[in-house]
Amino acid sequence: IHDIAEKGGVYCRCGSSAVEAELAPDCIHLECAQCGGHKLISAHDEQDVVYMGSVERIEILPPRRSRRKQ
């Protein structure tokens, strides 16, 4: 993921490329520093690692904004 980010391939739809990564035993949690959007990337086994090697871009979606009915 670091290599993808260095090439500008990790970004959020809100327009920000300021993304923080937190490593966990079975996944990587990415969070947009601007809007709080997030994405979990599986890291359970070697197959997940091989798949990530083929990815060129990772896009984070901003959080949904719910509208309250009045």
Side-chain angles (χ1 to χ4, degrees):
I1 292 177
H2 181 265
D3 293 342
I4 298 168
E6 281 189 339
K7 296 174 185 174
V10 179
Y11 56 90
C12 183
R13 275 196 189 169
C14 77
S16 176
S17 60
V19 176
E20 299 174 4
E22 184 178 321
L23 299 175
D26 61 347
C27 69
I28 301 167
H29 180 247
L30 301 177
E31 184 172 355
C32 175
Q34 182 170 311
C35 74
H38 60 92
K39 183 175 192 86
L40 291 176
I41 298 175
S42 179
H44 288 280
D45 54 34
E46 187 176 336
Q47 189 175 17
D48 291 335
V49 174
V50 170
Y51 170 73
M52 285 309 300
S54 68
V55 172
E56 294 181 13
R57 292 179 289 162
I58 300 171
E59 182 177 62
I60 298 170
L61 300 177
R64 293 184 190 191
R65 302 205 190 274
S66 62
R67 295 183 186 182
R68 293 185 179 180
K69 294 182 181 181
Q70 294 182 359

